[in-house]
Amino acid sequence: MSEGNHDVFHLGINREDLEGAEIALIPGDPGRVPKIAEYLENPKKLAFTREYQSYLGTSNGTPVVVMSTGIGGPSAAIAVEELALLGVKRFLRIGTTGAIQPHIEPGDVIITTAAVRMDGTSRHIAPIEFPAAANFHMVRRLVGAAEKLGQRYHLGVSASSDTFYQGQGRQDSFRKGFVHRELRNKIEEMQNLNVLSFEMEAGTVLTQTAAYGLAGACISGVLVNRTRAEFPDAAVIGDVVQNTIKVAVESLTIA
Ligand code: URA
């Protein structure tokens, strides 16, 4: 890690630190960064500042940066903006999600083809008519990796909400499920629109990557099926995260 003199405002890293890396694996949780880096060759820690923990490693000799985005659009947008300024061109979000269609099980993964922009941040990047669309080739590689590893996956639209509780219609909030009228019945609306699941960052990240002429994709491990439960079973969380990481890292090796 280089001290003091950084090229970007928040990340605590320089262009030289990335050793030419053009691919970033971006989980939300800083704690997942070393877990992802373990699957790369020669992992080394770069920096940990605010919500942004970063490691560098290689995949088949190609440099890859792993960096957390924190939760939600505003911090994810800073992460993508500043990594792009440092030369990153391909962004793969590795997240977790709550499924809203009954056929999806905890432990499955969702490969997002596009995200519903229920965030505020992406509106600062592009008007709401602009699609938060994933890069076709990255999606194709994620599908190939899931099939190779025998991981059950679902391909489709996710909804990205700025709030974990109100926007996702959770009943376990402080106000016991109360939401103001614009957000009422959001789960039902999204289910009827065939949205697969809720998470919090893809809408921002995929708007940025599509609008900037970069490549972005998102794979999320299903922690809970919201048609049956609000809370994940603690026993499944570790495996869900590991399996999602394995598919994401494997996708880097697919031509
Ligand atoms: N992340 C979310 O945003 N929602 C969930 O239900 C699970 C993970």
Side-chain angles (χ1 to χ4, degrees):
M1 173 186 159
S2 47
E3 297 291 337
N5 186 21
H6 302 124
D7 292 346
V8 287
F9 207 109
H10 299 88
L11 308 185
I13 51 177
N14 281 326
R15 193 173 263 267
E16 303 85 75
D17 293 328
L18 296 193
E19 298 178 17
E22 294 190 351
I23 302 172
L25 301 176
I26 49 170
D29 179 359
R32 293 191 186 138
V33 170
K35 293 182 186 152
I36 296 168
E38 261 175 38
Y39 287 91
L40 299 175
E41 304 131 14
N42 309 311
K44 64 177 178 201
K45 182 170 168 172
L46 296 179
F48 196 162
T49 171
R50 296 178 183 240
E51 57 268 64
Y52 306 116
Q53 169 148 235
S54 50
Y55 272 62
L56 189 73
T58 60
S59 165
N60 287 342
T62 302
V64 176
V65 58
V66 186
M67 196 187 81
S68 47
T69 64
I71 293 180
S75 62
I78 290 172
V80 169
E81 193 80 28
E82 295 191 1
L83 286 174
L85 284 166
L86 296 176
V88 174
K89 295 187 167 46
R90 216 202 288 176
F91 294 82
L92 176 49
R93 169 168 154 71
I94 305 175
T96 53
T97 193
I100 58 170
Q101 299 294 343
H103 65 282
I104 301 174
E105 295 298 335
D108 295 354
V109 299
I110 307 275
I111 299 171
T112 297
T113 53
V116 181
R117 292 172 54 192
M118 283 178 62
D119 66 317
T121 309
S122 72
R123 293 170 199 226
H124 290 209
I125 311 291
I128 195 66
E129 297 83 2
F130 187 89
N135 175 269
F136 170 77
H137 298 290
M138 291 180 72
V139 168
R140 179 178 57 72
R141 290 188 190 105
L142 286 167
V143 168
E147 288 183 351
K148 187 168 168 190
L149 297 178
Q151 169 64 50
R152 220 169 94 108
Y153 67 93
H154 308 270
L155 203 51
V157 176
S158 313
S160 299
S161 166
D162 256 357
T163 44
F164 182 80
Y165 289 96
Q166 290 76 10
Q168 301 187 24
R170 301 189 82 93
Q171 299 304 308
D172 54 355
S173 61
F174 178 65
R175 300 196 65 196
K176 306 284 177 259
F178 169 78
V179 290
H180 69 78
R181 70 177 180 282
E182 285 166 31
L183 288 178
R184 237 164 260 163
N185 307 319
K186 263 297 164 200
I187 292 198
E188 291 84 344
E189 182 186 18
M190 292 296 140
Q191 284 169 330
N192 284 323
L193 293 169
N194 281 304
V195 170
L196 302 180
S197 72
F198 276 117
E199 54 80 69
M200 297 182 69
E201 294 81 13
T204 303
V205 170
L206 299 182
T207 299
Q208 282 179 295
T209 51
Y212 296 175
L214 302 170
C218 172
I219 181 165
S220 307
V222 176
L223 290 181
V224 64
N225 186 307
R226 296 284 316 289
T227 67
R228 299 190 269 282
E230 293 280 85
F231 233 77
D233 174 354
V236 307
I237 296 176
D239 284 349
V240 173
V241 170
Q242 284 301 327
N243 292 341
T244 311
I245 292 171
K246 283 182 193 163
V247 176
V249 173
E250 186 67 31
S251 78
L252 302 180
T253 70
I254 292 181

